[in-house]
Amino acid sequence: MYLNNNRYLLTGGVDPLVLCEKYGCPLYVYDSAIIERQYQRILDAFNVPKLKINYACKASSNLSLLKLFKQWGAGLDTVSIQEVHLGIKAGFALNDIIFTPNCVSIEEIQEAVQLGVRINIDSISALEQFGQLHPEVPICIRINPHIMAGGNRKTSVGHIDSKFGISIHQMPHVLRIVEATGIKVEGLHMHTGSGILDADVFILGADILLNIAKDFKYLDYIDFGSGFKVPYKEGDVETNIEELGEKISERFIEFCESYGRDLTLMFEPGKFLVSEAGYFFAKVNVIKQTTSTVFAGLDSGLNHLIRPMFYDAYHEITNISKPGDKPRFYTVVGYICETDTFGVNRRIAEIQEGDILCLHHAGAYCFSMASNYNSRLRPAEVLVHEGKDYLIRRRETMEDILRNQVEVELEAEVLVQV
Ligand SMILES: *Cc1c(COP(=O)(O)O)cnc(C)c1O
């Protein structure tokens, strides 16, 4: 969002206050121009003959967003059979969908085989079973290169005791299974975590993967996962995607020459593509002054946006009702009966009850992690595209809360003290 005459505006001059009026609060809004810019940045950064970007849709899985990605030519990275179904519904070609689950049942993997999407295998056990059941179906193998990366212990998934992928130390075992079952390995994959700071760490992982790749004869693609870091506040470091692109492309082209064939270079970013494009708007219900703190209590909570509480994530907070007013310090909290703090002692333009605050960078892992805790309704989602706004998910109603509940009549009597 940019400031113009003391109003915050989205791309195309769309006024978020008008959207909040029209659709109500709390509200998620996505600006497609920012997603498109980020997608284009990745395309431009990697200069190889064959490149495919698979959007990791767990970041934000609204069908209308998926359709945009499809139209831009992206593929889809999915981690559950339900996400596979969403991808198919959004119109992705089956071989543009890759299923990268972790610790799912062999039945779920078989369901994905039946649907016809690409399969990424994440454990020795699954590889053995899969090789027995479907030796004719080509697969991708997820390797854990054991590099420590990621912003936070919870988001780092490449380290030595991580549950993800097959350890590089088990490659001889993998090769024996491949040999014994005759299964065709068409892809190798790694994903070392969310929010990798350092291009060099990424390249280290890439080198490890390429080194293993020589041992597989039938590869079509190598998937370097994601983990591109985005800045959440001023001064945050962002993955230098252009520099990374140059270095990885050079190594990849070199590898393809020695391998004897042009493979597809794949990535599967989530956060990098959609984080900045999302805004979460919530109304201030209460201003509460204590001896030490001024609280701004929102009509929202960890049920709608849990990243600050779950990951200690920082989301910039602004007062879009009165951006020009003199800033004061506020601790912004939710209405859930837990300590759900969005931000501590933030400098925000003076807030009055009824003002609308914006939590920025709310496009990734925000709505998609929302819940009905406290039996609250999940908010609506709006997409702004080429100057127009589209409702892409209705606000929930009490019916949604009740939908799957089954009321049974039980015999029970009032309990009294004896
Ligand atoms: C979550 C996930 C991603 C996306 O990670 P970001 O940090 O959002 O870019 C990519 N690949 C896999 C396998 C994932 O689980």
Short mmCIF file of all heavy atoms in Angstrom, two decimals, residues 54 56 58-59 77-79 100 120 142 157 164 189-191 193-195 223 225-228 268-273 364-365, ligand 1:
data_model
loop_
_atom_site.label_atom_id
_atom_site.label_comp_id
_atom_site.label_asym_id
_atom_site.label_seq_id
_atom_site.Cartn_x
_atom_site.Cartn_y
_atom_site.Cartn_z
N ASN A 54 6.52 -23.60 -9.02
CA ASN A 54 5.30 -24.21 -8.47
C ASN A 54 4.91 -23.45 -7.20
O ASN A 54 5.65 -23.47 -6.22
CB ASN A 54 5.56 -25.68 -8.12
CG ASN A 54 5.94 -26.49 -9.35
OD1 ASN A 54 5.40 -26.29 -10.44
ND2 ASN A 54 6.89 -27.39 -9.19
N ALA A 56 3.59 -22.78 -3.78
CA ALA A 56 3.28 -23.62 -2.60
C ALA A 56 1.99 -23.11 -1.98
O ALA A 56 1.98 -22.14 -1.22
CB ALA A 56 4.43 -23.54 -1.59
N LYS A 58 -0.06 -23.92 0.29
CA LYS A 58 -0.45 -23.87 1.69
C LYS A 58 -0.30 -22.46 2.26
O LYS A 58 -0.92 -22.11 3.26
CB LYS A 58 0.34 -24.88 2.53
CG LYS A 58 1.79 -24.54 2.80
CD LYS A 58 2.38 -25.63 3.69
CE LYS A 58 3.79 -25.34 4.17
NZ LYS A 58 4.78 -25.36 3.06
N ALA A 59 0.49 -21.61 1.58
CA ALA A 59 0.64 -20.22 2.03
C ALA A 59 -0.68 -19.48 1.98
O ALA A 59 -1.00 -18.68 2.86
CB ALA A 59 1.70 -19.51 1.20
N ASP A 77 2.56 -26.53 -5.91
CA ASP A 77 3.10 -27.45 -4.92
C ASP A 77 2.05 -27.68 -3.84
O ASP A 77 1.53 -26.74 -3.25
CB ASP A 77 4.36 -26.86 -4.28
CG ASP A 77 4.96 -27.81 -3.27
OD1 ASP A 77 5.47 -28.85 -3.68
OD2 ASP A 77 4.91 -27.51 -2.05
N THR A 78 1.73 -28.96 -3.62
CA THR A 78 0.66 -29.30 -2.68
C THR A 78 1.19 -30.24 -1.60
O THR A 78 2.08 -31.04 -1.86
CB THR A 78 -0.49 -30.02 -3.43
OG1 THR A 78 0.03 -31.21 -4.03
CG2 THR A 78 -1.09 -29.14 -4.51
N VAL A 79 0.63 -30.15 -0.42
CA VAL A 79 1.11 -30.98 0.69
C VAL A 79 0.01 -31.87 1.28
O VAL A 79 0.26 -32.58 2.25
CB VAL A 79 1.75 -30.12 1.81
CG1 VAL A 79 3.01 -29.44 1.31
CG2 VAL A 79 0.77 -29.10 2.35
N THR A 100 3.73 -33.12 -2.39
CA THR A 100 4.91 -33.21 -1.53
C THR A 100 4.49 -33.36 -0.08
O THR A 100 4.63 -32.44 0.72
CB THR A 100 5.78 -31.94 -1.68
OG1 THR A 100 6.10 -31.76 -3.05
CG2 THR A 100 7.07 -32.03 -0.90
N ASN A 120 6.00 -36.85 -4.83
CA ASN A 120 7.29 -36.63 -4.18
C ASN A 120 7.34 -37.51 -2.93
O ASN A 120 6.48 -37.41 -2.06
CB ASN A 120 7.39 -35.15 -3.81
CG ASN A 120 8.81 -34.73 -3.50
OD1 ASN A 120 9.71 -35.56 -3.40
ND2 ASN A 120 9.01 -33.43 -3.33
N ARG A 142 12.38 -36.63 -2.09
CA ARG A 142 12.74 -35.48 -1.27
C ARG A 142 13.95 -35.82 -0.41
O ARG A 142 13.91 -36.74 0.40
CB ARG A 142 11.57 -35.08 -0.37
CG ARG A 142 11.90 -33.90 0.52
CD ARG A 142 10.69 -33.38 1.25
NE ARG A 142 11.03 -32.17 1.99
CZ ARG A 142 10.15 -31.37 2.56
NH1 ARG A 142 8.87 -31.66 2.49
NH2 ARG A 142 10.53 -30.30 3.22
N VAL A 157 13.43 -26.81 8.35
CA VAL A 157 13.06 -28.21 8.18
C VAL A 157 14.18 -29.04 7.56
O VAL A 157 13.99 -30.19 7.21
CB VAL A 157 11.76 -28.34 7.35
CG1 VAL A 157 10.61 -27.72 8.09
CG2 VAL A 157 11.91 -27.71 5.98
N PHE A 164 11.58 -34.07 7.92
CA PHE A 164 11.31 -33.97 6.49
C PHE A 164 12.39 -34.62 5.63
O PHE A 164 13.57 -34.50 5.89
CB PHE A 164 11.18 -32.50 6.08
CG PHE A 164 9.98 -31.83 6.68
CD1 PHE A 164 10.09 -31.09 7.85
CD2 PHE A 164 8.74 -31.95 6.09
CE1 PHE A 164 8.99 -30.47 8.41
CE2 PHE A 164 7.62 -31.33 6.65
CZ PHE A 164 7.75 -30.60 7.81
N HIS A 189 14.39 -33.46 -4.99
CA HIS A 189 13.79 -32.30 -4.35
C HIS A 189 14.46 -32.04 -3.00
O HIS A 189 14.87 -32.98 -2.31
CB HIS A 189 12.30 -32.60 -4.14
CG HIS A 189 11.58 -31.64 -3.25
ND1 HIS A 189 11.56 -31.76 -1.89
CD2 HIS A 189 10.83 -30.54 -3.53
CE1 HIS A 189 10.83 -30.77 -1.37
NE2 HIS A 189 10.38 -30.03 -2.34
N MET A 190 14.56 -30.78 -2.65
CA MET A 190 14.89 -30.42 -1.27
C MET A 190 14.08 -29.19 -0.90
O MET A 190 13.70 -28.39 -1.75
CB MET A 190 16.39 -30.12 -1.12
CG MET A 190 16.84 -28.84 -1.79
SD MET A 190 18.51 -28.35 -1.26
CE MET A 190 18.55 -26.64 -1.76
N HIS A 191 13.78 -29.07 0.36
CA HIS A 191 13.17 -27.83 0.86
C HIS A 191 13.65 -27.69 2.29
O HIS A 191 13.29 -28.48 3.14
CB HIS A 191 11.64 -27.90 0.81
CG HIS A 191 10.98 -26.75 1.51
ND1 HIS A 191 11.07 -25.46 1.04
CD2 HIS A 191 10.28 -26.68 2.66
CE1 HIS A 191 10.41 -24.65 1.87
NE2 HIS A 191 9.92 -25.36 2.86
N GLY A 193 13.57 -25.06 4.46
CA GLY A 193 12.93 -24.28 5.51
C GLY A 193 12.48 -22.93 5.01
O GLY A 193 12.83 -22.51 3.93
N SER A 194 11.70 -22.29 5.84
CA SER A 194 11.12 -21.02 5.49
C SER A 194 12.01 -19.89 6.01
O SER A 194 12.49 -19.95 7.13
CB SER A 194 9.75 -20.92 6.15
OG SER A 194 8.78 -20.58 5.22
N GLY A 195 12.25 -18.91 5.20
CA GLY A 195 12.97 -17.75 5.68
C GLY A 195 14.47 -17.94 5.76
O GLY A 195 15.11 -17.63 6.77
N ASP A 223 14.23 -29.95 -8.07
CA ASP A 223 13.38 -28.98 -7.39
C ASP A 223 14.10 -28.51 -6.13
O ASP A 223 14.33 -29.29 -5.21
CB ASP A 223 12.06 -29.69 -7.03
CG ASP A 223 11.04 -28.76 -6.40
OD1 ASP A 223 11.45 -27.71 -5.87
OD2 ASP A 223 9.85 -29.11 -6.42
N GLY A 225 13.03 -26.41 -3.96
CA GLY A 225 12.13 -26.03 -2.87
C GLY A 225 11.97 -24.53 -2.76
O GLY A 225 11.81 -23.82 -3.74
N SER A 226 11.99 -24.07 -1.53
CA SER A 226 11.81 -22.63 -1.32
C SER A 226 12.58 -22.20 -0.09
O SER A 226 13.62 -22.75 0.21
CB SER A 226 10.34 -22.30 -1.19
OG SER A 226 10.20 -20.94 -0.90
N GLY A 227 12.02 -21.26 0.61
CA GLY A 227 12.69 -20.72 1.78
C GLY A 227 13.17 -19.31 1.54
O GLY A 227 13.89 -18.75 2.35
N PHE A 228 12.75 -18.74 0.41
CA PHE A 228 13.13 -17.35 0.16
C PHE A 228 12.58 -16.46 1.26
O PHE A 228 11.39 -16.51 1.56
CB PHE A 228 12.59 -16.88 -1.20
CG PHE A 228 13.00 -17.76 -2.34
CD1 PHE A 228 12.09 -18.09 -3.32
CD2 PHE A 228 14.28 -18.28 -2.41
CE1 PHE A 228 12.45 -18.91 -4.38
CE2 PHE A 228 14.66 -19.10 -3.47
CZ PHE A 228 13.73 -19.42 -4.46
N GLU A 268 9.58 -23.84 -5.49
CA GLU A 268 8.19 -23.87 -5.00
C GLU A 268 8.01 -22.87 -3.87
O GLU A 268 7.80 -23.24 -2.72
CB GLU A 268 7.83 -25.29 -4.54
CG GLU A 268 8.92 -25.89 -3.70
CD GLU A 268 8.71 -27.35 -3.38
OE1 GLU A 268 8.19 -28.08 -4.23
OE2 GLU A 268 9.08 -27.73 -2.26
N PRO A 269 8.06 -21.59 -4.22
CA PRO A 269 7.90 -20.57 -3.19
C PRO A 269 6.45 -20.36 -2.80
O PRO A 269 5.54 -20.53 -3.62
CB PRO A 269 8.44 -19.30 -3.85
CG PRO A 269 8.54 -19.59 -5.31
CD PRO A 269 8.25 -21.02 -5.56
N GLY A 270 6.25 -20.03 -1.54
CA GLY A 270 4.93 -19.63 -1.07
C GLY A 270 5.02 -18.17 -0.64
O GLY A 270 4.57 -17.25 -1.32
N LYS A 271 5.67 -18.02 0.51
CA LYS A 271 5.80 -16.71 1.14
C LYS A 271 6.31 -15.61 0.20
O LYS A 271 5.76 -14.52 0.16
CB LYS A 271 6.78 -16.87 2.30
CG LYS A 271 6.77 -15.77 3.30
CD LYS A 271 7.78 -16.09 4.39
CE LYS A 271 7.16 -16.95 5.47
NZ LYS A 271 8.14 -17.23 6.56
N PHE A 272 7.36 -15.91 -0.55
CA PHE A 272 7.95 -14.90 -1.42
C PHE A 272 6.92 -14.36 -2.41
O PHE A 272 6.93 -13.18 -2.76
CB PHE A 272 9.14 -15.49 -2.19
CG PHE A 272 9.91 -14.50 -3.01
CD1 PHE A 272 10.91 -13.73 -2.44
CD2 PHE A 272 9.60 -14.31 -4.36
CE1 PHE A 272 11.61 -12.80 -3.19
CE2 PHE A 272 10.30 -13.37 -5.12
CZ PHE A 272 11.30 -12.62 -4.53
N LEU A 273 6.02 -15.21 -2.86
CA LEU A 273 5.05 -14.81 -3.88
C LEU A 273 3.88 -14.02 -3.29
O LEU A 273 3.42 -13.06 -3.91
CB LEU A 273 4.53 -16.05 -4.61
CG LEU A 273 5.56 -16.77 -5.48
CD1 LEU A 273 5.02 -18.10 -5.98
CD2 LEU A 273 5.98 -15.90 -6.67
N ALA A 364 0.68 -14.63 3.40
CA ALA A 364 1.15 -16.02 3.51
C ALA A 364 0.97 -16.54 4.92
O ALA A 364 1.36 -15.87 5.89
CB ALA A 364 2.62 -16.12 3.10
N TYR A 365 0.41 -17.72 5.04
CA TYR A 365 0.24 -18.40 6.33
C TYR A 365 -0.58 -17.56 7.31
O TYR A 365 -0.35 -17.59 8.51
CB TYR A 365 1.61 -18.78 6.94
CG TYR A 365 2.45 -19.53 5.96
CD1 TYR A 365 3.52 -18.92 5.30
CD2 TYR A 365 2.13 -20.84 5.64
CE1 TYR A 365 4.26 -19.61 4.35
CE2 TYR A 365 2.87 -21.54 4.69
CZ TYR A 365 3.92 -20.92 4.05
OH TYR A 365 4.64 -21.60 3.11
C1 LIG B 1 5.83 -24.78 2.83
C2 LIG B 1 6.58 -25.33 1.72
C3 LIG B 1 7.08 -24.50 0.72
C4 LIG B 1 6.94 -23.00 0.73
O1 LIG B 1 7.77 -22.37 1.67
P1 LIG B 1 7.82 -20.78 1.74
O2 LIG B 1 8.73 -20.48 2.85
O3 LIG B 1 6.44 -20.28 1.98
O4 LIG B 1 8.32 -20.28 0.43
C5 LIG B 1 7.75 -25.10 -0.32
N1 LIG B 1 7.90 -26.44 -0.38
C6 LIG B 1 7.43 -27.26 0.57
C7 LIG B 1 7.62 -28.72 0.44
C8 LIG B 1 6.76 -26.74 1.65
O5 LIG B 1 6.30 -27.56 2.60
#
